[in-house]
Structures are given as C-alpha cells and as structure tokens.
Amino acid sequence: MTMTLKTSWSIAASSASPLPLRRGEAASLRAFVNENTQKQPPPPPRRRCFQVTHRPPSPLAHKSATRGNQRIILRRREVRGNESSHLPAFLFKVHYSRGYPTVDGTLLISFTAKVWRMLARLPLPQPSRFAFTCRGRLRLATATAAARTLSTAATTTTKAVKMARTALDEVAETGAFDRSPSTFRSSVSRDSSARFPAVPGRYHLYVSFACPWASRCLAYLKLKGLDRAIAFTSVKPIFERTKETDDHMGWVFPATGDEEPGAEPDPFNGAKSVRELYEIASPNYSGKPTVPVLWDKHLKTVVNNESSEIIRMLNTEFNEIADNPGLDLYPPHLQASIDEINEIVYDAINNGVYKCGFAKKQGPYDEAVTKLYEALDRCEEILSKQRYICGNQLTEADVRLFVTLIRFDEVYAVHFKCNKKLIREYPNLFNYTKDIYQLPGISSTVNMEHIRKHYYGSHPSINPLGIIPAGPNIDYNAPHDRQMFGA
Ligand SMILES: N[C@@H](CCC(=O)N[C@@H](CS)C(=O)NCC(=O)O)C(=O)O
C-alpha cells in the first residue's frame, strides 16, 4: 500500500515493512492526525514558551529505526505549557548518518500515542525533502534545510517547537524571533541520594561572559558565595565554526589561556566547542548548543542548560556549601511579585531586545520595540519609588533585569536597534544599574569587552563587517543615588 501525502513524500506499508501499519489505523498521516485531534479536549491556553521536562521512561520512549543511510529516532517527552495544561508530545528526530552530511532535524510535536505508532512505522523521508502539512496548519520540516528552516505552527491541539542550531535561525515566517526552549532540565538537589546531589567541586558552569543568560548564573555564584564550590569557564566571545564538517557557527573554547583574555580552554573534556560538550552528553544532540551549561563532571553530562532554573538551584540547593547561605533571592513572601515582574521583564525586556534585533520584518520589530519601551517605562516608574524592582530587597528579579540593562546602551541600542531611549536617559534605571553593578562581586561578571565583541562580531546578518562601534564606555562605578531608599 502506498499513499502520497501532498506532493512531498509518501507513506508505504506492506507486510515486508519492519513496522507494518495496523488494521484500523487511518490510511494516511493526515487522517491519523485529524482523527486524533478531533477527539482531543478543548485546547489549553496557548503559551509562547514551553518548558520541556523529562518523564520517567515509558515504553514509547526511545524508538528508532534505520533504513539505508537514515535513522529516525522518536522519543517521548512531556511538554508543559503551564500548570493547567499538559500536552503529550514526542520529540521527533531524523538523523542522516551515512552518505550525507550529518544533519539533524528535531521537533517536538504533541501527538497522541496512536499517531506516534504511525510515525514509528513511516518509511524514512528523502534527505532532500521531508515535510508534510496537516490540515494546513501543522507543518513539520526537517532534512537538509531543517536546521535552518524548521517552521512551526499549531493546530488547536498540537504544538510544534522548533529546534534550530543558532538563535539567528529562530525566526518564524512572520519575521518574528521565536526562541526555542532549553532541552536539559534536570536539577541538582541538596538531597545526597539524588542523581545530581549538591556536592562541592562536582559541577562546572560553562558560560560566555557575553551572554546575559549565563551572566545571571555568574551573578549568583558571586552573590551566594559559591564560586569556590562551582568553578566556571568562559568561551571566546565571537562565534566560530564548531566543526570542520559543517558550517555551524557557535561558541568555541580558545586553544590556550593566552588566546583571549577571560576565555579558557575546556579544563575537563578538552572540548573545542560548546557543541562538543552537548554531543558528549547526548551524541545525537541537534538543538542549539547554548550557554549556560551546568555540567556534571562525575557523570559527564549536562545537568541543565536553562538559566532561570540554574539560578533557582544555586539559590536553594547549595546552601550547605555556600559562603552566603542566608541570602534568599526568591523568598516566599516575594515569590508572587517576583514571578509577575519576571514574566514582564523576560518577554518584553530580556527576550524583547532579541526580538527587536532578530526581527526580519518591520511589523514584528515595531511590536517588540513598543513592548520593550512600555516595560522599561514601567520599571522606571517602579524604581522611582523603591530601591529594587520588587521592593527594598534585592531579589532574583533584579539580577534578571540587570543583565539586560548593563548591555543595553553598549550593544542593544545600536546592534538590536533599541535606540528610542537609552538606559542612561532614564534616571532611575541608570542609577539602579550602577547600584547592582557595584554589589560585591557583580562587576567581575561583566566583561564589556566580550559583550561588545560577541554581539557586533557574531551576527553577520545584522552587522556584516563586524565593526565594533566606539562608544559609549559608561562608568558604572560612578556614584548613584539609590541609597535614598535605604537598605
Ligand atoms: N533559555 C536559555 C537561553 C540561553 C541562550 O540562548 N544562550 C545564547 C547566548 S546569549 C546562546 O548560547 N546561543 C547560542 C546560539 O545562538 O547558537 C537560558 O536562559 O539559559
């Protein structure tokens, strides 16, 4: 039996097939999806950001099949939208291993088990083209161009999450930047019997000084007094080729400690690139090799690559070995207001500057820049009444806001076109930035040389010649007026 799905590829099943289609299963993938999506309950509220968490192994976890030079791997994952919505999902991965350049496409799709069984039986796609459209709305694309052009769309009951190779690829057809979720989401625990117990010296943080997300973690190492228990290594600031065999550009380590001040060779794995670290942890990894990486030296794996989760662990799980265990940056009485401000700051400011900078069309840029300045105005207003963003106590929300503010006038204003107003034109935001910069240890987490080199030098589609503008060289050690609020 052979059926053609749209024009792109066909589904074949016969008794000779290693995984023959079962009777009663719909004749085409579209029918399967229609059938299953129609039976689904009403969709949960749609969220732009999905957290990916690992579930205990199920019989459906890790299925793979090989045909010729192609290998298809299907893994079950849970995709969590928010507290109330749990979408079943499958990580759908196609890996071309022999005879073609190694190209992985990875998608997370929320399919039912029945559709999953169907997918597991599909003949493998042609390397040149693998795409199908379901009800005109769910589109999966992988194969050669996949790493760059994965597009995503959601039906009422399904959600596809892109897994691209660099942030610059994460632009939807609308021209808007759409950040993909982090993939390693395990936790270090103070419980000594946990898989990742909080033991001094066992974990290492791989960062880039340029990266605001990684810098959150560095700020926590300093504030909590954990820098002796957890060491870190920074990569070089400018993206380079990560492999000879393909053209992926990303974070690389210097060959020696003298090559680039601030950057060091990988002390444990001798990796040339962050990509290599991810491949040690997961040989078929095809997502974005991002920093920060919380690395387990003992199990040689990535524990977690999501900064918002790493900082929560650093706040609570390492207190037995922290020099400053009493500092709680996410105290129970402020959690609701921290969560609320984080949501605004993440979407409109932290990620908002990227949405301005990576937008490929005027509309998404206009939308992002409007939201960005609305949020900055709101923060300015809040900070006219209190020292920190959630009151008169430093919290996680301040660290998260600070890492973007400190980069703003130096890079985002020019490189990401966030030039409507500068941070130094907002009296409260500017003084607040200096206040946090002057907290013990924080200035050592800000390497402006790396920040400027990275942004201006790593995004040729935005700054083709890589020229680094001269200014503005702000003195963040200059006096500020924030003591007027006490504390
Ligand atoms: N959600 C992640 C985002 C991390 C992230 O995007 N890091 C950027 C650096 S600022 C990265 O490593 N990008 C690599 C690339 O685009 O190829 C986190 O907060 O940890």
Side-chain angles (χ1 to χ4, degrees):
M1 177 173 65
T2 302
M3 290 155 296
T4 303
L5 251 190
K6 288 252 161 185
T7 52
S8 49
W9 58 300
S10 65
I11 298 172
S14 71
S15 53
S17 165
L19 290 160
L21 285 172
R22 281 193 202 148
R23 253 186 107 222
E25 288 188 336
S28 75
L29 182 58
R30 186 171 329 153
F32 262 89
V33 175
N34 284 343
E35 191 183 304
N36 282 281
T37 54
Q38 278 154 17
K39 280 185 210 152
Q40 297 278 341
R46 280 187 59 189
R47 302 259 303 183
R48 290 185 67 79
C49 268
F50 281 76
Q51 287 182 332
V52 183
T53 51
H54 293 250
R55 278 207 136 167
S58 82
L60 293 178
H62 300 274
K63 282 226 169 185
S64 70
T66 306
R67 184 171 299 173
N69 53 15
Q70 302 161 13
R71 190 163 140 78
I72 187 165
I73 303 168
L74 295 125
R75 288 187 186 144
R76 188 169 178 171
R77 291 282 187 276
E78 176 190 6
V79 175
R80 203 168 47 180
N82 61 22
E83 295 296 299
S84 59
S85 71
H86 280 254
L87 306 178
F90 303 97
L91 183 64
F92 181 81
K93 192 166 184 174
V94 181
H95 177 69
Y96 299 99
S97 48
R98 270 175 284 132
Y100 293 90
T102 301
V103 178
D104 292 342
T106 306
L107 294 167
L108 265 171
I109 45 177
S110 54
F111 278 153
T112 62
K114 194 171 175 188
V115 174
W116 185 88
R117 285 201 306 275
M118 168 73 184
L119 285 169
R121 269 176 220 114
L122 291 176
L124 291 161
Q126 292 306 306
S128 55
R129 181 129 191 230
F130 169 40
F132 64 81
T133 305
C134 167
R135 297 168 80 186
R137 297 179 73 189
L138 170 68
R139 185 179 316 132
L140 307 179
T142 183
T144 316
R148 279 164 212 88
T149 60
L150 286 184
S151 59
T152 179
T155 68
T156 48
T157 52
T158 58
K159 170 87 186 172
V161 181
K162 298 178 302 179
M163 298 289 285
R165 301 305 299 244
T166 97
L168 279 167
D169 302 319
E170 296 179 319
V171 177
E173 274 164 23
T174 58
F177 174 59
D178 189 5
R179 185 180 292 279
S180 61
S182 305
T183 38
F184 289 85
R185 310 299 281 265
S186 298
S187 293
V188 174
S189 167
R190 68 192 99 158
D191 174 356
S192 58
S193 62
R195 178 162 188 239
F196 299 109
V199 172
R202 173 161 167 173
Y203 303 97
H204 194 75
L205 205 53
Y206 289 101
V207 299
S208 158
F209 276 119
C211 169
W213 318 103
S215 298
R216 294 168 168 185
C217 302
L218 287 182
Y220 265 69
L221 289 188
K222 298 291 168 189
L223 293 170
K224 291 287 298 183
L226 278 169
D227 41 358
R228 282 181 298 117
I230 305 173
F232 73 88
T233 300
S234 175
V235 291
K236 292 207 278 182
I238 302 183
F239 284 169
E240 287 178 24
R241 287 273 292 272
T242 55
K243 269 197 184 162
E244 311 245 308
T245 47
D246 62 38
D247 57 2
H248 172 254
M249 302 288 285
W251 300 115
V252 298
F253 295 95
T256 67
D258 312 328
E259 196 179 314
E260 176 86 46
E264 296 285 341
D266 171 19
F268 304 108
N269 306 293
K272 301 273 175 298
S273 66
V274 170
R275 180 181 179 186
E276 235 178 279
L277 292 175
Y278 278 83
E279 288 172 355
I280 294 171
S282 172
N284 287 321
Y285 186 75
S286 62
K288 229 182 7 165
T290 56
V291 290
V293 169
L294 183 61
W295 181 260
D296 179 359
K297 296 192 252 174
H298 182 61
L299 295 178
K300 284 200 174 293
T301 195
V302 179
V303 180
N304 194 299
N305 67 342
E306 172 50 48
S307 63
S308 59
E309 293 175 359
I310 297 172
I311 60 175
R312 292 270 168 96
M313 290 173 224
L314 298 178
N315 188 48
T316 56
E317 302 308 306
F318 291 87
N319 281 340
E320 300 234 322
I321 53 176
D323 292 342
N324 199 0
L327 176 71
D328 185 358
L329 293 164
Y330 190 59
H333 70 290
L334 290 176
Q335 286 178 3
S337 88
I338 294 172
D339 291 345
E340 192 188 335
I341 202 85
N342 278 350
E343 203 168 316
I344 298 163
V345 167
Y346 172 78
D347 186 50
I349 301 180
N350 300 142
N351 199 34
V353 292
Y354 283 86
K355 286 195 243 176
C356 295
F358 289 163
K360 285 195 173 154
K361 289 194 179 149
Q362 190 69 44
Y365 165 78
D366 290 342
E367 195 184 314
V369 87
T370 304
K371 266 193 174 177
L372 168 67
Y373 282 96
E374 278 168 9
L376 288 174
D377 291 347
R378 186 161 166 200
C379 291
E380 172 71 6
E381 163 71 14
I382 295 171
L383 291 168
S384 70
K385 303 195 187 89
Q386 58 196 41
R387 185 157 183 171
Y388 301 110
I389 201 71
C390 290
N392 280 325
Q393 175 178 349
L394 182 82
T395 67
E396 171 189 297
D398 296 299
V399 176
R400 293 174 49 134
L401 177 55
F402 169 76
V403 294
T404 299
L405 297 181
I406 194 78
R407 287 162 175 75
F408 201 98
D409 289 8
E410 293 279 353
V411 289
Y412 301 147
V414 179
H415 188 64
F416 281 175
K417 306 180 185 73
C418 304
N419 65 342
K420 204 171 144 197
K421 195 164 167 183
L422 300 168
I423 297 303
R424 61 192 188 280
E425 294 170 321
Y426 285 101
N428 293 296
L429 277 171
F430 186 37
N431 278 308
Y432 166 83
T433 308
K434 288 188 275 184
D435 189 10
I436 295 180
Y437 182 83
Q438 292 170 28
L439 289 171
I442 295 295
S443 64
S444 72
T445 69
V446 180
N447 184 327
M448 209 51 93
E449 202 52 29
H450 278 223
I451 292 171
R452 289 155 50 75
K453 276 186 170 179
H454 167 67
Y455 285 95
Y456 292 116
S458 299
H459 305 137
S461 57
I462 301 177
N463 189 24
L465 300 177
I467 291 168
I468 304 175
N473 298 319
I474 297 161
D475 179 9
Y476 290 102
N477 274 317
H480 62 78
D481 62 3
R482 306 298 293 167
Q483 302 87 342
M484 69 180 162
F485 298 107

